[in-house]
């Protein structure tokens, strides 16, 4: 919080912050551990999913107490990486359908009921998953109503041309923006 305050004070323009979760607490996960492969227990609409959605609101509430607000949150950082991650990495695995249902039944309504004007971003994973992921989530009118945009990562960009992923997704869902949220150089040896 002190670093965010310094950055906000130094910036000549307002900074737009976004947050992206890595994992739920171990008691909420199917594997009983914050690390490794695991999903949220149960299914969308149940006590685990509602509680996880409320964690987002409590996070936003607590930062707001320190005058730090978030422009957006993502539903999950690299939800498909949760299926392939090394065993020590903290993550939650979501399929597109699971994320759609979590957004439509739990996270979207929780954000809408809250006092926060924080936008919700979906996917937050490799753009190789587009446009399929967008079709599943945004193809549902309820989920689409809560989603402002799609967060994408660039690590596998060389595999899928932008026309097949970004452009195709934009044509299908022009009212939802696309935003690169994670990238680095040197990820692959080549």
């Amino acid at each position: 919080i002190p670093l965010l305050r310094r950055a906000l004070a130094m910036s000549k323009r307002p900074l737009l912050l976004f947050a992206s979760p890595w994992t739920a607490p171990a008691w909420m996960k199917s594997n009983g551990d914050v690390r490794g492969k695991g999903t949220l227990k149960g299914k969308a609409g149940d006590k685990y999913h509602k509680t996880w959605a409320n964690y987002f609101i409590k996070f936003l509430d607590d930062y707001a107490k320190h005058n730090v607000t978030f422009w957006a949150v993502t539903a999950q950082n690299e939800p498909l990486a949760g299926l392939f991650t090394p065993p020590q990495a903290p993550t939650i695995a979501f399929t597109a359908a699971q994320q759609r249902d979590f957004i439509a039944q739990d996270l979207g309504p929780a954000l809408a009921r809250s006092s926060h004007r924080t936008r919700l971003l979906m996917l937050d994973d490799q753009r190789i998953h587009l446009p399929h992921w967008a079709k599943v989530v945004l193809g549902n009118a309820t989920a689409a109503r809560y989603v402002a945009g799609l967060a994408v990562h660039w690590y596998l960009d060389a595999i899928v041309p932008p026309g097949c992923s970004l452009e195709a997704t934009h044509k299908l869902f022009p009212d939802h923006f696309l935003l690169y949220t994670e990238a680095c150089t040197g990820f692959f040896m080549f």
Side-chain angles (χ1 to χ4, degrees), residues 26 32 37-38 46 80-81 102 110 116 162 171 178:
K37 297 168 181 66
D46 70 9
L80 285 175
F102 175 57
H116 306 285
K171 284 180 180 178
L178 295 153

CSV table of all heavy atoms in Angstrom, one decimal, residues 26 32 37-38 46 80-81 102 110 116 162 171 178:
chain,number,residue,atom,x,y,z
A,26,ALA,N,-6.9,-22.9,1.1
A,26,ALA,CA,-6.8,-24.4,0.9
A,26,ALA,C,-8.1,-25.1,1.2
A,26,ALA,O,-8.5,-26.0,0.5
A,26,ALA,CB,-5.7,-25.0,1.8
A,32,GLY,N,-7.3,-29.4,-1.3
A,32,GLY,CA,-6.9,-29.1,0.1
A,32,GLY,C,-5.6,-28.3,0.3
A,32,GLY,O,-5.1,-28.3,1.3
A,37,LYS,N,-2.6,-28.5,-8.5
A,37,LYS,CA,-3.8,-28.7,-9.3
A,37,LYS,C,-5.0,-28.8,-8.3
A,37,LYS,O,-5.1,-29.7,-7.5
A,37,LYS,CB,-3.7,-29.9,-10.2
A,37,LYS,CG,-2.6,-29.7,-11.2
A,37,LYS,CD,-2.4,-31.1,-11.9
A,37,LYS,CE,-1.3,-31.0,-12.9
A,37,LYS,NZ,0.0,-30.7,-12.3
A,38,GLY,N,-6.0,-27.9,-8.5
A,38,GLY,CA,-7.2,-28.0,-7.7
A,38,GLY,C,-8.2,-27.0,-8.2
A,38,GLY,O,-7.8,-25.9,-8.8
A,46,ASP,N,-22.8,-22.3,-5.1
A,46,ASP,CA,-22.7,-23.0,-3.7
A,46,ASP,C,-21.9,-22.1,-2.7
A,46,ASP,O,-21.4,-21.0,-3.1
A,46,ASP,CB,-22.2,-24.4,-3.8
A,46,ASP,CG,-20.7,-24.4,-4.1
A,46,ASP,OD1,-20.0,-23.4,-4.1
A,46,ASP,OD2,-20.2,-25.6,-4.4
A,80,LEU,N,-6.4,-22.0,-16.8
A,80,LEU,CA,-6.0,-23.3,-17.4
A,80,LEU,C,-4.6,-23.7,-17.0
A,80,LEU,O,-4.4,-24.9,-17.0
A,80,LEU,CB,-6.1,-23.2,-18.9
A,80,LEU,CG,-7.6,-23.2,-19.4
A,80,LEU,CD1,-7.6,-23.0,-20.9
A,80,LEU,CD2,-8.3,-24.5,-19.1
A,81,ALA,N,-3.8,-22.8,-16.6
A,81,ALA,CA,-2.5,-23.2,-16.1
A,81,ALA,C,-2.6,-24.1,-14.8
A,81,ALA,O,-1.8,-24.9,-14.5
A,81,ALA,CB,-1.6,-22.0,-15.8
A,102,PHE,N,-19.2,-19.2,-12.6
A,102,PHE,CA,-18.8,-18.5,-11.4
A,102,PHE,C,-19.0,-17.0,-11.6
A,102,PHE,O,-19.5,-16.3,-10.7
A,102,PHE,CB,-17.3,-18.7,-11.2
A,102,PHE,CG,-16.7,-17.9,-10.1
A,102,PHE,CD1,-17.2,-17.9,-8.8
A,102,PHE,CD2,-15.6,-17.1,-10.3
A,102,PHE,CE1,-16.6,-17.2,-7.8
A,102,PHE,CE2,-15.0,-16.3,-9.3
A,102,PHE,CZ,-15.5,-16.4,-8.0
A,110,ALA,N,-21.9,-10.4,-7.0
A,110,ALA,CA,-21.2,-9.8,-5.8
A,110,ALA,C,-20.6,-8.4,-6.1
A,110,ALA,O,-20.8,-7.5,-5.3
A,110,ALA,CB,-20.1,-10.8,-5.3
A,116,HIS,N,-18.3,-0.9,-5.0
A,116,HIS,CA,-17.1,-0.7,-5.9
A,116,HIS,C,-17.6,-0.6,-7.4
A,116,HIS,O,-18.4,-1.3,-7.8
A,116,HIS,CB,-16.1,-1.8,-5.7
A,116,HIS,CG,-15.7,-1.9,-4.3
A,116,HIS,ND1,-14.8,-1.1,-3.7
A,116,HIS,CD2,-16.0,-2.8,-3.4
A,116,HIS,CE1,-14.7,-1.4,-2.4
A,116,HIS,NE2,-15.4,-2.5,-2.2
A,162,PRO,N,-2.5,-13.3,-34.5
A,162,PRO,CA,-3.5,-12.5,-33.8
A,162,PRO,C,-4.9,-12.4,-34.5
A,162,PRO,O,-5.9,-12.3,-33.9
A,162,PRO,CB,-2.9,-11.1,-33.8
A,162,PRO,CG,-1.7,-11.2,-34.6
A,162,PRO,CD,-1.3,-12.6,-34.8
A,171,LYS,N,-14.3,-9.4,-33.3
A,171,LYS,CA,-15.4,-9.4,-34.3
A,171,LYS,C,-16.6,-10.0,-33.7
A,171,LYS,O,-17.8,-9.6,-33.9
A,171,LYS,CB,-15.0,-10.1,-35.6
A,171,LYS,CG,-14.1,-9.3,-36.5
A,171,LYS,CD,-13.8,-10.1,-37.7
A,171,LYS,CE,-12.8,-9.2,-38.6
A,171,LYS,NZ,-12.4,-10.0,-39.8
A,178,LEU,N,-10.1,-5.9,-25.3
A,178,LEU,CA,-9.0,-6.9,-25.1
A,178,LEU,C,-7.8,-6.2,-24.5
A,178,LEU,O,-7.4,-5.1,-25.0
A,178,LEU,CB,-8.6,-7.5,-26.4
A,178,LEU,CG,-9.7,-8.4,-27.1
A,178,LEU,CD1,-9.6,-8.4,-28.6
A,178,LEU,CD2,-9.7,-9.8,-26.5
